């Protein structure tokens, strides 16, 4: 069921880790190390992946190596969206991978890559084909973000909406499926690249799209998926019932589970991006989820 455990999401992006609380990522490093140790104690072979970085920054990987984080990881990961948010061109993907490969011997995964259909659905389909051409064979995992458009009523997970301007609205058009569930041109384009390409799809707590997403992934021929289990959600009523339902629905896929999001009441600052008050509590959450959902 779980093929890998990813520790956090975009730790070098302020939408997911608060640099005011932890400006040198020392607290993040301490948390990631104890989480990696806890996962290994629960499962002797489950790969541990450092949360995908965005932007792609070799200095961040050097920082993590210097703080001992990579000693507790089996892979690192990157995220890239050159047609939407990054300040580099899509053709630079191989060079961006080489930048990270040059500073670590660990495998480099692409745990999120995508193109929005905000401007035109045809641009997204072209971008998908070009991305596949550039990345297939260069990374052991390539997770396309995402299967489903983000419902406009939900809001995107970002701490700098005011600074993004119109770029904020691209968050809602990253899927192969429109919000109403109908396929875009990129849907058929993606099917031509499975099973070499997998998907990244975040499911919200008690997400109504879960069963339909599974059916669409079967139709696409998807074999591997990245999703998340939220430490913050674990404090909701009936959290384990939802986690069980989510993971049971995804059982046929090779799932990379991302552990992230600090509960407000357990953060140094009351926000899901904050370093926790006690790093061991996050590690305990990771261990409990691996114990519950990882075979062997």
């Amino acid at each position: 069921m779980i093929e890998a455990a990813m520790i956090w999401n975009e730790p070098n992006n302020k939408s997911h880790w608060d640099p005011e609380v932890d400006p040198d990522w020392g607290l993040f490093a301490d948390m990631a190390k104890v989480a990696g140790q806890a996962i290994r104690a629960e499962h002797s072979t489950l790969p541990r992946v450092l949360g995908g970085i965005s932007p792609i920054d070799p200095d961040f990987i050097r920082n993590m190596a210097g703080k001992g984080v990579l000693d507790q990881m089996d892979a690192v990961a990157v995220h890239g969206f050159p047609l939407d948010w990054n300040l580099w061109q899509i053709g630079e993907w191989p060079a961006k991978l080489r930048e990270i490969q040059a500073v670590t011997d660990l495998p480099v995964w692409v745990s999120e890559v995508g193109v929005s259909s905000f401007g035109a659905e045809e641009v997204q389909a072209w971008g998908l084909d070009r991305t596949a051409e550039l990345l297939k064979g260069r990374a052991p995992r390539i997770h396309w973000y995402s299967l489903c458009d983000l419902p406009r009523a939900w809001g995107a997970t970002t701490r700098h909406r005011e600074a993004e301007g119109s770029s904020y609205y691209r968050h809602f058009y990253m899927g192969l499926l429109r919000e109403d569930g109908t396929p875009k041109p990129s849907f058929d384009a993606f099917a031509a690249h499975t099973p070499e390409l997998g998907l990244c799809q975040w499911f919200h707590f008690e997400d109504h799209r879960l069963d339909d997403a599974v059916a669409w992934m079967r139709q696409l021929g998807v074999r591997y998926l990245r999703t998340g289990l939220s430490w913050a959600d674990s404090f909701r009523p009936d959290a384990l019932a939802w986690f069980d339902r989510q993971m049971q629905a995804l059982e046929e896929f090779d799932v990379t589970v991302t552990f992230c999001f600090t509960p407000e009441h357990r953060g140094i600052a009351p926000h899901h991006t904050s370093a926790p008050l006690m790093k061991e509590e996050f590690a305990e959450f990771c261990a409990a989820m691996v114990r519950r959902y990882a075979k062997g």
Side-chain angles (χ1 to χ4, degrees):
M1 182 185 299
I2 296 181
E3 73 156 353
M6 180 169 281
I7 297 174
W8 218 257
N9 180 64
E10 299 187 359
N12 63 331
N13 187 313
K14 70 177 182 179
S15 287
H16 296 278
W17 191 259
D18 190 341
E20 295 183 5
V21 172
D22 185 25
D24 69 346
W25 286 278
L27 297 176
F28 174 81
D30 289 344
M31 181 190 76
K33 285 187 290 187
V34 297
Q37 292 164 353
I39 291 166
R40 179 56 72 241
E42 286 294 331
H43 198 296
S44 62
T45 60
L46 188 70
R48 301 158 298 171
V49 187
L50 179 64
I53 58 172
S54 180
I56 297 174
D57 179 8
D59 286 338
F60 182 79
I61 298 299
R62 290 190 187 96
N63 186 9
M64 293 298 100
K67 288 179 166 59
V69 175
L70 300 194
D71 295 336
Q72 297 300 326
M73 301 296 150
D74 304 292
V76 300
V78 299
H79 295 176
F81 302 91
L83 295 186
D84 289 286
W85 296 302
N86 297 140
L87 302 179
W88 44 274
Q89 296 183 331
I90 192 170
E92 295 178 68
W93 255 120
K96 289 296 176 181
L97 287 180
R98 288 194 296 269
E99 287 182 14
I100 303 305
Q101 292 163 346
V103 297
T104 179
D105 292 329
L106 295 176
V108 181
W109 292 20
V110 180
S111 52
E112 281 187 32
V113 57
V115 177
S116 80
S117 61
F118 179 78
E121 292 185 349
E122 294 79 8
V123 170
Q124 184 186 49
W126 175 86
L128 192 156
D129 284 331
R130 180 65 173 141
T131 296
E133 176 187 355
L134 291 163
L135 290 181
K136 284 196 297 187
R138 289 188 166 97
R141 281 288 180 263
I142 306 164
H143 293 269
W144 182 262
Y145 178 80
S146 61
L147 176 64
C148 305
D149 273 356
L150 179 67
R152 288 291 295 271
W154 287 5
T157 302
T158 176
R159 295 197 72 196
H160 42 88
R161 173 176 177 173
E162 295 80 5
E164 290 187 355
S166 63
S167 293
Y168 172 77
Y169 297 97
R170 295 175 180 270
H171 288 282
F172 298 93
Y173 295 92
M174 303 301 294
L176 307 174
L177 303 170
R178 304 178 186 94
E179 183 177 351
D180 65 6
T182 57
K184 303 177 190 177
S186 56
F187 183 89
D188 290 333
F190 183 84
H193 300 292
T194 56
E196 293 154 288
L197 263 63
L199 283 169
C200 174
Q201 178 62 55
W202 297 93
F203 293 104
H204 287 220
F205 188 76
E206 297 183 339
D207 197 319
H208 67 280
R209 306 169 299 171
L210 176 62
D211 293 334
D212 286 344
V214 169
W216 284 117
M217 287 191 288
R218 288 177 185 148
Q219 182 175 329
L220 284 166
V222 170
R223 291 292 176 267
Y224 65 92
L225 170 75
R226 175 177 169 248
T227 191
L229 291 175
S230 166
W231 181 29
D233 282 347
S234 71
F235 287 89
R236 293 175 182 261
D238 300 320
L240 276 181
W242 164 247
F243 289 168
D244 286 349
R245 177 164 128 63
Q246 177 181 338
M247 298 309 296
Q248 184 177 8
L250 301 175
E251 189 170 14
E252 68 196 77
F253 306 100
D254 293 328
V255 180
T256 294
V257 175
T258 305
F259 301 126
C260 60
F261 299 144
T262 305
E264 289 189 2
H265 70 290
R266 300 311 303 152
I268 294 172
H271 197 276
H272 69 270
T273 67
S274 175
L277 290 165
M278 296 183 63
K279 59 184 182 294
E280 293 82 5
E281 292 181 359
F282 175 68
E284 289 166 4
F285 170 72
C286 296
M289 295 298 97
V290 168
R291 190 182 315 128
R292 195 174 185 90
Y293 301 119
K295 294 179 181 179

